[in-house]
Amino acid sequence: MRIMLFSSQRYDQESFGAANAERRFDLTFQDTRLDLDTAPLAEGCEVVCAFINDDLGAPVLERLAAGGTRLVALRSAGYNHVDLLAAARLGLDVVRVPAYSPYAVAEHAVGLILALSRRLYRAYNRTRDGDFSLHGLIGFDLRGKTVGVVGTGQIGAVFARIMSGFGCQVLAHDPFPQPDLEALGVRYVDQDQLFARADIVSLHCPLLPDTRHLIDAETLQRMKPGVMLINTSRGALVDTPALIEALKSGRLGYLGLDVYEEEARLFFEDRSDLPLQDDVLARLLTFPNVIITAHQAFLTREALQAIAATTLENVAAWSAGDVRNRVEA
Ligand code: NAD
């Protein structure tokens, strides 16, 4: 069975190659992003394997279905980029990898917090330049700080446990509280209380119509002055221009982003030789208290192995008539 992997990088070739050693699917790796122009490349491929910034809107799905594709195997947990109603109408099955390593993403969020709170990126650049001074590097202890976790699913729960280990008071908001986190001392509160009381807010909820721009000018105004915001979830959870205003006023004291609303045409590519066309991102990158990583929170050896293994298991099960990890509208 032929599987075409769009947006594939060298690390995908390595992890999928290893996971395919026993299965012997016919894998074709495309480094190009899936969109209406590139969809014809999948002509005759029963299975298309897509990543988070591939275009899986109705026109692209129609083109894939017309070319013989029957299964879209997402090598991600998130599926907000798929037009599921169109897929159902076209008879396309959609499957995903519901869990690979929640530790990868949760630990990256913690990495962003420490890099910001201890200004590690400034220190790194400074000492490499022979400047061993400490001015401007004053940090703060995490112990005793209040951390607000929005969404305590797989990733948010791991993150809440790690932050409890630092001696933080952890507040959480989720429509489905987890009793084992409560037993650990995590307190579930409503969203308003979380925003009002947290020194650090970290987003771990999915992008849904009601969570789009969950963080905007109005919610930022309700947060503590100097608050730290971390988003490793999905870019559109925050209204990015509102972040810029809050950084300028000092309302937002620190910002760590692994995701960006307009990342689809930017991230995962080396654009260092090109002028940055995105003025919002360019402005964000001028602030000394902002760190942006290009959607790398998932990128650990363990997560890549799990993504490849589960994706190929999903395809094998589907071809045997057993649709596992199906995503439905
Ligand atoms: P999950 O489904 O296990 O958990 C999401 C949680 O959010 C659930 O408990 C749900 O009840 C809760 N939730 C839903 N709506 C909410 C709301 N309005 N307010 C508060 N909580 C709400 O998902 P997960 O695997 O923990 O992933 C979390 C997010 O991380 C997803 O959006 C996913 O896309 C993103 N993610 C990012 C990366 C990366 O590399 N940066 C990698 C994997 C996942």
Side-chain angles (χ1 to χ4, degrees):
M1 180 176 296
R2 208 163 148 229
I3 308 176
M4 181 156 294
L5 293 92
F6 282 91
S7 301
S8 59
Q9 304 281 342
R10 198 163 58 192
Y11 49 75
D12 294 310
Q13 297 188 19
E14 287 167 7
S15 57
F16 274 81
N20 195 37
E22 308 274 292
R23 298 193 181 272
R24 303 191 181 282
F25 287 118
D26 178 4
L27 304 181
T28 307
F29 295 96
Q30 294 289 349
D31 56 5
T32 181
R33 179 175 168 262
L34 173 62
D35 60 19
L36 205 47
D37 294 331
T38 59
L41 292 169
E43 186 84 30
C45 275
E46 236 182 314
V47 182
V48 159
C49 180
F51 200 45
I52 44 183
N53 288 328
D54 286 317
D55 179 351
L56 290 161
V60 174
L61 293 175
E62 280 160 17
R63 183 65 188 82
L64 291 177
T69 299
R70 291 282 154 263
L71 174 68
V72 175
L74 302 173
R75 49 182 198 281
S76 61
Y79 51 86
N80 52 281
H81 55 314
V82 189
D83 188 333
L84 293 171
L85 290 173
R89 172 168 53 78
L90 294 161
L92 281 169
D93 288 320
V94 182
V95 295
R96 67 177 181 132
V97 182
Y100 37 94
S101 169
Y103 307 99
V105 184
E107 289 171 12
H108 191 78
V110 177
L112 291 174
I113 291 174
L114 286 169
L116 286 164
S117 69
R118 304 309 303 266
R119 310 202 185 263
L120 297 179
Y121 51 100
R122 294 191 87 180
Y124 171 83
N125 287 325
R126 198 176 282 186
T127 51
R128 287 174 75 90
D129 201 28
D131 177 355
F132 304 110
S133 67
L134 295 181
H135 62 87
L137 298 185
I138 297 174
F140 64 84
D141 290 1
L142 288 177
R143 186 181 178 283
K145 296 296 181 295
T146 302
V147 176
V149 188
V150 182
T152 53
Q154 300 181 79
I155 296 168
V158 172
F159 175 79
R161 286 175 186 278
I162 298 173
M163 297 319 291
S164 295
F166 273 103
C168 297
Q169 186 194 3
V170 180
L171 303 179
H173 177 69
D174 193 306
F176 303 99
Q178 288 202 26
D180 56 332
L181 287 181
E182 290 179 295
L184 197 75
V186 173
R187 287 191 50 210
Y188 280 90
V189 295
D190 63 33
Q191 203 170 272
D192 285 350
Q193 273 196 63
L194 185 148
F195 289 153
R197 292 173 51 192
D199 300 297
I200 298 171
V201 173
S202 193
L203 306 179
H204 299 286
C205 60
L207 177 62
L208 301 167
D210 70 321
T211 58
R212 180 172 292 273
H213 290 184
L214 179 74
I215 306 296
D216 61 10
E218 192 265 322
T219 40
L220 284 162
Q221 207 50 41
R222 286 192 270 132
M223 293 184 192
K224 276 188 173 176
V227 65
M228 180 188 292
L229 177 68
I230 303 292
N231 186 10
T232 56
S233 194
R234 281 291 178 265
L237 291 176
V238 301
D239 174 7
T240 318
L243 297 181
I244 292 174
E245 290 311 310
L247 284 160
K248 282 161 73 178
S249 71
R251 164 70 51 176
L252 192 51
Y254 308 81
L255 175 66
L257 299 180
D258 186 52
V259 286
Y260 172 53
E261 198 168 359
E262 304 299 331
E263 71 179 51
R265 291 181 184 280
L266 287 169
F267 284 9
F268 307 128
E269 303 290 335
D270 179 359
R271 298 181 175 275
S272 54
D273 285 339
L274 303 168
L276 181 54
Q277 301 292 341
D278 186 317
D279 291 349
V280 174
L281 183 61
R283 181 68 176 100
L284 272 183
L285 289 168
T286 66
F287 292 99
N289 47 352
V290 173
I291 297 186
I292 300 177
T293 52
H295 211 134
Q296 75 174 76
F298 74 98
L299 196 67
T300 64
R301 276 195 302 274
E302 293 79 359
L304 289 172
Q305 283 163 7
I307 288 169
T310 306
T311 302
L312 296 187
E313 272 164 34
N314 284 345
V315 176
W318 173 84
S319 68
D322 169 20
V323 187
R324 288 189 203 159
N325 297 321
R326 187 199 287 273
V327 191
E328 282 174 298

